[in-house]
Amino acid sequence: MQKLLHNLNPEQLAAVTLPAQSALILAGAGSGKTRVLTTRIAWLIQTGQVSPSGILAVTFTNKAAKEMQARLSAMLPINTRGMWIGTFHGLCNRLLRAHYRDAALPQTFQILDSQDQLSAIKRLLKANNIDDEKYPPRNLMYFINSAKDQGLRAHEVDAYDDFNRKFVQLYELYDQQCQREGVVDFAELLLRTYELLSRNQPLREHYQARFSHILVDEFQDTNDLQYKWLKIMAGKHSAVFAVGDDDQSIYAFRGANVGNMMAFEREFQVQNLIKLEQNYRSHGHILDSANTLIANNSKRLGKNLRTDAGHGEQLRVQEASSDLQEAQWIIEETKSLIAEGAARSEIAVLYRSNAQSRVIEHALFSAGIPYRVYGGQRFFERAEIKHAIAYLQLMDNPHNDSAFLRVVNFPTRGIGARSLEQLQDAARQYGISLYAAVPYVAGKAGSSLGAFIKLIEGTRFETQNLPLQEMVQVVLDASGLLPHYRNEKEGADRIENLEQLVSAAMLFVSEEGFGIDAPALVGPPAQAVAGAAVTTGDGVEIIDADAPLATIMSPLSAFLSHASLEAGDNQAQAGQDALQLMTVHSAKGLEFDAVFITGLEEGLFPHENSQQEQGGIEEERRLMYVAITRAKKRLYLSFSQTRMLHGQTRYNMKSRFFDELPDEALKWLSPRVQQHHWSAHTAKAAWVDAPQAGANAIAQKISSKGIGWKIGESVSHQKFGEGVIVNIEGGGGNPRAHINFGRHGMKLLDLGVAKLEKVARA
DNA sequence: GGGCGCCAGTTTTTT
DNA sequence: ACTGGCGCCC
């Protein structure tokens, strides 16, 4: 016990040892949040207040769940794999597998990832002759997901006009289609579980009684449905330990509702609100900057980080003349950091949007500095892997039409659009799946489709006694995938990936406790399930969805869930010591000795689209707060006068966030550049990219006449503040300039009338 | 059925 | 500037 609690600061200790009541822990960046969460679990178990089976710990990402499990294993002499620690979706999957009948799902229901969901929606629109120009599939998908994320079924959605009524109707049809096919999307996993518990009293009471302690990580990221889910899981008596940071709420765009923190405080009668404000990560100037910046937000729960680390270095600010020069500057600074002995993996380059990485990557590549970009394509999202998975899905659940369509003619086997149309007509007519409709298709189409069915069923028969990894190997060959890619010139990488799928299957069965000999298609023996049966007070027998997975599903079903729920590494391969490149969003939760925050310009960061959104600027500010608090020792901030975006040169102003940082924490590396001389790059860009060369000729003439305004120049206006001249038009007596005033927008001002001043440069 | 060419879109992302 | 998706043509 002593050992468990030693080295906790007073707030952390208080949080860990709170009585069994609901509590809200406001955990600032770098305040030891994960440590508190895991130590709390360990403490509850070690003091005998709860057994491991009485704990439910929920996270958002698999990575966080794994880390929690690993840390807990290190603290306690128990096997944590059987514990209910997981993501919302992973835990729902487990519950729905165990209670598939009560949830009205087939035992082998399959999970659609976002790609699958979109293609399912496109298929739905086609089947119903809906104009996808008028009702774009992506918009419909967003509509359906946000309804589900609020816990709303189609009939519960308010439709206030014809357009929305159509969406509601399509939502309803979409759910019917999913049900027919035996598939669920991500949001459905949660909604279905929520509905299962709200309708099934014995089940609800069973789990409510079982989980006396529920712990939630990153609570500020919960959406409305997740909050409802937690409420129903908790019931009246469970203690919910919610850990979060309202200042790091950066996912409103995908439905996260920070308001859940306030609602939680109220609805769970939180007596214990503990703030973890001691920061163990960043030096003083970095922390001061973060605090000063975030103080500009209203509607905060209120929190101020402090450190014992001393001021440390100032933040180094660089104004670049172009995005290319910004990249070059990053190279120079990186080189000197490395020369000072910094590890490349301890240096991160952050940007607001992915498009910004290209220029930086290019520069790093030329300079021969190894780097790693986060956010690439993930293993289970690769086309060849999705194809292989589709064959496996058909063997487990032939009514998955998405899987059917993906591979029915891949590799090509003479089944064209014509045949598929016939098949789809038949399926529609009888209200059955494509697979089931094959016997209704006559002629040549019917026979080639029949051959496909034979392929699936033959492979299923052939592999029925084989363990998963061997089944996968057989499927790769029998499906023709491996032969296909062997014949392809650029197929080598794909073959390598497919072979990795076999290893992934092998690893999966051994890690999840299936045993490497267990037949892939065979579910748990009846006794094993019966062994987990629980009888409630009402005498209702309930099969408890207890871990491990092997007790509730077959290796194949489990592996297919795993493929959907855990798409694999989102980051480039680890290994070599490399510079870390990522968006600010993906940097959340990480820390580095040195951090570059790049592209700090109005329109980019804060992003222009956030201007229109309710609370958008505050979210951008929280994003900036997240970015700043990633740095331990050194922080670089940069912005550029010009930037290539969507094939056009943009002239941005420096970000308003600079005005929100404490002067004493900033060290300006570049005296702001005198713009009276055009740098070669700027001049060239302006000439080449201007809509009409004439405008520039005029601008040139005007300036040569002594009026002196030039494109790219910074000016100041009494009302609009600082701006950048983006273009000049109309020579003669009436020259006018397009000026980007950042947050005040683009203005067209008459240069003869407007009172503009040149911005004095240091 | 595959390949080429045009057009639209282009903030952030996990499950 | 680039990409991905779709449609048309061979």
Side-chain angles (χ1 to χ4, degrees):
Chain A
M1 187 73 52
Q2 288 308 329
K3 199 169 165 228
L4 198 62
L5 303 179
H6 87 299
N7 279 347
L8 291 177
N9 70 33
E11 295 94 52
Q12 291 175 328
L13 183 67
V16 165
T17 59
L18 278 174
Q21 299 163 352
S22 287
L24 181 58
I25 313 300
L26 267 184
S31 64
K33 171 195 74 157
T34 311
R35 180 155 185 233
V36 165
L37 210 43
T38 46
T39 313
R40 166 79 173 171
I41 298 175
W43 180 79
L44 285 169
I45 293 172
Q46 217 172 74
T47 52
Q49 299 185 57
V50 63
S51 78
S53 63
I55 300 270
L56 177 67
V58 197
T59 64
F60 278 86
T61 65
N62 293 298
K63 195 178 155 202
K66 274 188 195 144
E67 184 176 348
M68 205 187 283
Q69 211 153 41
R71 288 218 207 174
L72 205 53
S73 294
M75 286 185 200
L76 288 175
I78 57 167
N79 179 6
T80 53
R81 213 180 47 212
M83 288 183 67
W84 284 71
I85 300 174
T87 63
F88 278 102
H89 297 84
L91 296 167
C92 287
N93 181 41
R94 196 189 276 183
L95 281 158
L96 292 176
R97 295 285 168 188
H99 308 294
Y100 67 94
R101 280 193 209 91
D102 290 325
L105 286 169
Q107 186 166 21
T108 57
F109 74 84
Q110 291 170 349
I111 302 165
L112 301 180
D113 66 17
S114 326
Q115 274 179 55
D116 302 333
Q117 189 187 17
L118 187 63
S119 68
I121 286 172
K122 285 182 183 166
R123 204 148 40 73
L124 178 84
L125 294 179
K126 210 162 267 170
N128 289 281
N129 289 316
I130 306 288
D131 179 3
D132 61 4
E133 304 255 295
K134 194 166 174 212
Y135 301 98
R138 290 186 167 282
N139 294 7
L140 179 57
M141 177 158 129
Y142 176 79
F143 178 87
I144 292 173
N145 288 341
S146 49
K148 288 191 182 185
D149 284 344
Q150 292 169 69
L152 301 175
R153 288 290 173 194
H155 66 89
E156 297 166 303
V157 179
D158 281 332
Y160 36 86
D161 58 23
D162 283 350
F163 190 77
N164 271 277
R165 262 187 287 282
K166 191 77 190 168
F167 266 13
V168 168
Q169 189 194 346
L170 290 167
Y171 174 12
E172 179 67 46
L173 289 171
Y174 166 78
D175 267 359
Q176 288 169 12
Q177 175 180 292
C178 288
Q179 187 65 27
R180 196 167 59 238
E181 298 182 14
V183 296
V184 298
D185 58 53
F186 287 132
E188 183 72 23
L189 281 169
L190 274 125
L191 184 51
R192 195 63 80 99
T193 308
Y194 174 74
E195 289 171 347
L196 171 69
L197 293 177
S198 38
R199 285 174 195 161
N200 190 323
Q201 190 194 345
L203 215 52
R204 178 174 67 245
E205 289 176 350
H206 168 70
Y207 284 108
Q208 287 178 345
R210 172 184 177 145
F211 298 123
S212 50
H213 286 272
I214 299 177
L215 301 96
V216 195
D217 191 16
E218 305 276 17
F219 189 80
Q220 78 283 352
D221 289 338
T222 51
N223 64 32
D224 292 348
L225 178 55
Q226 286 157 339
Y227 182 63
K228 287 169 85 168
W229 189 97
L230 286 166
K231 264 205 289 200
I232 204 162
M233 272 293 185
K236 287 211 169 65
H237 306 294
S238 303
V240 179
F241 190 85
V243 181
D245 181 358
D246 53 327
D247 290 334
Q248 291 188 72
S249 161
I250 56 173
Y251 285 115
F253 71 90
R254 65 177 199 211
N257 178 5
V258 209
N260 286 345
M261 296 185 86
M262 296 71 164
F264 176 75
E265 214 182 332
R266 195 174 58 245
E267 296 180 359
F268 284 72
Q269 286 108 45
V270 169
Q271 315 278 316
N272 307 296
L273 191 153
I274 293 183
K275 296 180 184 178
L276 305 180
E277 297 176 298
Q278 178 74 32
N279 173 288
Y280 297 98
R281 181 184 291 156
S282 309
H283 287 173
H285 278 313
I286 295 172
L287 219 49
D288 290 346
S289 300
N291 282 333
T292 311
L293 176 97
I294 202 66
N296 287 285
N297 272 5
S298 58
K299 290 182 285 182
R300 295 175 61 216
L301 290 170
K303 193 169 41 45
N304 221 30
L305 295 174
R306 51 171 197 274
T307 179
D308 298 334
H311 280 309
E313 298 174 355
Q314 286 174 298
L315 283 56
R316 304 175 185 219
V317 185
Q318 168 77 4
E319 171 173 19
S321 58
S322 70
D323 46 354
L324 295 165
Q325 204 247 303
E326 180 186 45
Q328 210 46 53
W329 168 76
I330 295 169
I331 305 287
E332 300 309 322
E333 293 293 341
T334 302
K335 279 185 180 161
S336 62
L337 274 168
I338 294 168
E340 286 168 36
R344 285 189 287 262
S345 59
E346 275 299 323
I347 307 171
V349 181
L350 309 184
Y351 33 82
R352 175 65 179 82
S353 65
N354 286 303
Q356 289 164 251
S357 77
R358 293 180 90 257
V359 175
I360 300 168
E361 283 186 68
H362 184 80
L364 285 167
F365 187 83
S366 306
I369 299 174
Y371 64 91
R372 202 181 300 164
V373 188
Y374 282 57
Q377 209 189 22
R378 307 163 74 190
F379 183 71
F380 284 105
E381 286 168 354
R382 294 168 190 278
E384 65 276 19
I385 299 299
K386 295 230 47 148
H387 285 134
I389 293 287
Y391 280 101
L392 295 167
Q393 284 177 322
L394 283 178
M395 288 165 64
D396 208 32
N397 167 20
H399 305 301
N400 181 340
D401 284 356
S402 296
F404 186 97
L405 286 172
R406 177 179 277 275
V407 292
V408 65
N409 198 36
F410 190 92
T412 52
R413 41 179 77 89
I415 300 171
R418 213 42 41 84
S419 311
L420 288 178
E421 227 159 82
Q422 273 179 270
L423 181 63
Q424 271 160 328
D425 287 344
R428 212 167 305 149
Q429 189 184 338
Y430 298 105
I432 54 178
S433 67
L434 297 172
Y435 193 95
V438 166
Y440 298 98
V441 178
K444 193 162 155 279
S447 64
S448 40
L449 283 165
F452 178 67
I453 300 290
K454 279 210 190 79
L455 167 70
I456 299 298
E457 281 174 2
T459 315
R460 193 175 197 281
F461 180 76
E462 209 182 310
T463 58
Q464 60 184 335
N465 295 316
L466 296 182
L468 185 67
Q469 65 279 13
E470 289 177 33
M471 170 192 254
V472 175
Q473 185 66 63
V474 171
V475 167
L476 293 184
D477 279 308
S479 63
L481 284 175
L482 277 182
H484 171 85
Y485 289 121
R486 274 193 209 110
N487 285 334
E488 216 176 49
K489 274 181 283 202
E490 322 250 310
D493 281 354
R494 298 189 188 271
I495 289 177
E496 199 177 307
N497 285 329
L498 288 173
E499 268 150 17
Q500 260 193 50
L501 184 65
V502 180
S503 332
M506 175 89 130
L507 188 71
F508 179 78
V509 287
S510 61
E511 277 191 347
E512 294 300 325
F514 286 99
I516 57 166
D517 296 326
L521 284 167
V522 180
Q527 304 137 290
V529 177
V534 174
T535 305
T536 65
D538 303 326
V540 182
E541 195 188 15
I542 291 171
I543 307 298
D544 193 295
D546 214 336
L549 291 179
T551 60
I552 45 176
M553 50 186 140
S554 72
L556 179 58
S557 291
F559 185 60
L560 293 173
S561 314
H562 167 80
S564 307
L565 291 177
E566 218 169 318
D569 261 351
N570 185 27
Q571 64 197 73
Q573 288 309 300
Q576 196 186 20
D577 180 32
L579 216 66
Q580 312 282 304
L581 269 62
M582 65 194 85
T583 62
V584 180
H585 279 91
S586 4
K588 190 173 159 213
L590 305 176
E591 58 177 31
F592 305 91
D593 283 340
V595 170
F596 291 83
I597 307 176
T598 67
L600 280 164
E601 295 143 37
E602 283 296 305
L604 245 194
F605 198 2
H607 197 276
E608 52 201 350
N609 294 3
S610 69
Q611 296 261 33
Q612 281 69 253
E613 291 157 18
Q614 187 65 251
I617 287 296
E618 296 216 348
E619 178 139 325
E620 294 289 306
R621 192 174 284 114
R622 290 191 293 270
L623 199 49
M624 180 66 182
Y625 176 79
V626 168
I628 294 173
T629 53
R630 298 310 96 197
K632 293 199 247 183
K633 299 177 191 155
R634 188 178 287 184
L635 182 58
Y636 296 93
L637 310 175
S638 67
F639 62 103
S640 172
Q641 294 165 358
T642 66
R643 183 175 297 278
M644 262 318 214
L645 196 67
H646 310 323
Q648 278 190 318
T649 306
R650 305 196 2 156
Y651 303 87
N652 292 324
M653 286 186 52
K654 74 176 199 294
S655 172
R656 74 190 65 187
F657 296 146
F658 282 108
D659 307 333
E660 302 177 1
L661 299 175
D663 285 336
E664 64 276 13
L666 303 184
K667 179 182 175 188
W668 290 77
L669 299 179
S670 47
R672 295 198 66 189
V673 184
Q674 280 288 330
Q675 298 187 340
H676 290 287
H677 65 87
W678 288 17
S679 75
H681 170 74
T682 319
K684 186 160 168 275
W687 278 105
V688 172
D689 297 312
Q692 320 127 342
N696 281 289
I698 293 161
Q700 193 75 323
K701 211 159 130 204
I702 294 164
S703 66
S704 68
K705 274 205 274 177
I707 297 173
W709 303 114
K710 293 185 192 72
I711 292 174
E713 189 165 43
S714 290
V715 296
S716 171
H717 184 271
Q718 195 160 16
K719 192 161 145 219
F720 305 128
E722 207 174 310
V724 182
I725 300 181
V726 167
N727 200 5
I728 300 178
E729 63 179 40
N734 185 26
R736 292 174 301 172
H738 292 268
I739 304 180
N740 181 358
F741 284 103
R743 74 195 85 169
H744 298 289
M746 186 75 76
K747 308 283 175 203
L748 181 59
L749 299 184
D750 191 317
L751 286 174
V753 177
K755 291 193 175 63
L756 292 171
E757 278 178 40
K758 286 190 175 152
V759 172
R761 303 288 183 178

